Amino acid sequence: MDNRIQNLAKVLVNYSLRIKSGDLFKISAEPVAEPLIRAVYDEALKMGAHVYADLSLIDLRESLLKHGSDAQLAYISPIREFEIEKMDALLTIWGSTNTKFLTGINPARQQ
């Protein structure tokens, strides 16, 4: 693995998030970020955290914005609320192979 990715993972886990043993830690990302996800996951495990990764497909968000009703766009899942209340740390890694995926979506819907 690239040393720069391993070093970034150490900085994120040990300095930025200060992960410690017993922490419930979630990594949210898209599959394109796999090398960093793996490195952060491994580093958090070494610190004794309870880690899980939530990978999402960028196309799903675009589909929701294109086809979802206003009620669907405003909906906040009770599962997500529960998760946020219980997390000790959350890392979201943004990355995409398609950097223009939302250019056809009305900016008002993206708000």
Side-chain angles (χ1 to χ4, degrees), residues 30-48:
E30 294 175 24
V32 70
E34 180 200 353
L36 183 56
I37 296 166
R38 286 182 184 275
V40 168
Y41 191 94
D42 288 349
E43 192 64 29
L45 286 175
K46 290 175 190 174
M47 298 306 297

Side-chain angles (χ1 to χ4, degrees), residues 27-32 53-61 93 95:
I27 304 166
S28 294
E30 294 175 24
V32 70
D54 178 25
L55 301 181
S56 61
L57 303 175
I58 196 166
D59 296 5
L60 298 179
R61 194 166 86 205
I93 302 170

Side-chain angles (χ1 to χ4, degrees), residues 46-91:
K46 290 175 190 174
M47 298 306 297
H50 303 289
V51 190
Y52 76 101
D54 178 25
L55 301 181
S56 61
L57 303 175
I58 196 166
D59 296 5
L60 298 179
R61 194 166 86 205
E62 183 178 12
S63 185
L64 175 63
L65 291 169
K66 277 185 180 176
H67 308 294
S69 68
D70 289 343
Q72 288 169 316
L73 291 174
Y75 178 75
I76 299 173
S77 166
I79 295 167
R80 180 120 169 102
E81 287 179 335
F82 177 81
E83 186 178 61
I84 289 169
E85 289 174 10
K86 298 296 180 185
M87 283 299 128
D88 295 303
L90 170 64
L91 175 65

Side-chain angles (χ1 to χ4, degrees), residues 1 8 11-12 24 34 48 56 63 75 80 93 100-101 104:
M1 178 178 292
L8 177 57
V11 168
L12 290 169
L24 182 54
E34 180 200 353
S56 61
S63 185
Y75 178 75
R80 180 120 169 102
I93 302 170
K100 298 181 180 185
F101 78 102

